[in-house]
Amino acid sequence: MRDWAAYEEALDSRARFDWDLIRDAPKWLKLVLNREHHAVWVADHGDDRLVGHLWIRLKRQKDGALPATVGYISQAFLDESFRGRGLMKPMLEEAFDWFRNLDIEVVTLSVLHRNWLGSAAWHRLGFSDWREERRMELKPRAK
């Protein structure tokens, strides 16, 4: 998680993280992994060093959109030196099977606008454009 957060902050200065929460990630991640609607896969270098992860979950759409529940890729990350080696693909195949076993027909994700490499990779993996999130930081009201 630490590497993923640092990567996103480096891509876009608007991406900011509470580093105390990131350091506590092992604690809350244990809680998340005990929930039936979350799953995580990891890429192991072979020397017990994790070089990437894929965190997925079910996302219930409460605004009337169909399908009512979709699969959602919360985070996907590979150390830079391990990108382009096909390590994400087997994790995604496992994730897609996990979704299929729960009768999920649609999988979505969000990618930072300035993450050109990630965006291109998701397109290569079969994801197409769907929505585009917009952001505006409000300035304090003039006094």
Side-chain angles (χ1 to χ4, degrees):
M1 297 239 3
R2 180 184 65 243
D3 293 338
W4 167 80
Y7 179 73
E8 289 216 340
E9 282 188 346
L11 284 174
D12 191 327
S13 62
R14 297 171 293 180
R16 296 184 308 251
F17 293 89
D18 180 331
W19 284 95
D20 289 333
L21 285 177
I22 296 295
R23 278 187 285 279
D24 278 347
K27 291 179 188 172
W28 60 261
L29 198 51
K30 285 180 186 175
L31 296 173
V32 167
L33 291 177
N34 285 322
R35 296 179 182 156
E36 292 180 2
H37 62 285
H38 288 261
V40 174
W41 285 266
V42 296
D44 186 333
H45 180 262
D47 57 0
D48 292 328
R49 183 172 55 122
L50 300 182
V51 296
H53 70 273
L54 175 65
W55 175 9
I56 65 171
R57 65 183 173 91
L58 298 181
K59 183 177 180 183
R60 289 164 181 72
Q61 303 193 97
K62 297 178 182 173
D63 60 0
L66 294 175
T69 302
V70 298
Y72 187 75
I73 297 176
S74 293
Q75 291 179 12
F77 179 79
L78 284 172
D79 284 349
E80 189 172 354
S81 60
F82 290 89
R83 293 180 193 148
R85 297 184 188 186
L87 295 175
M88 188 59 68
K89 194 166 187 173
M91 290 190 288
L92 279 170
E93 289 171 3
E94 290 287 330
F96 295 156
D97 283 342
W98 188 85
F99 287 133
R100 285 183 191 103
N101 288 335
L102 295 169
D103 297 324
I104 297 299
E105 298 174 352
V106 174
V107 178
T108 64
L109 58 85
S110 175
V111 62
L112 280 178
H113 177 68
R114 294 180 182 167
N115 186 353
W116 314 118
L117 292 174
S119 184
W122 290 117
H123 277 279
R124 280 193 309 276
L125 289 164
F127 285 81
S128 59
D129 294 338
W130 167 243
R131 293 186 185 269
E132 193 165 325
E133 188 173 331
R134 302 287 184 210
R135 175 184 166 128
M136 180 176 83
E137 294 187 21
L138 292 176
K139 294 175 175 69
R141 187 180 300 270
K143 295 182 181 190

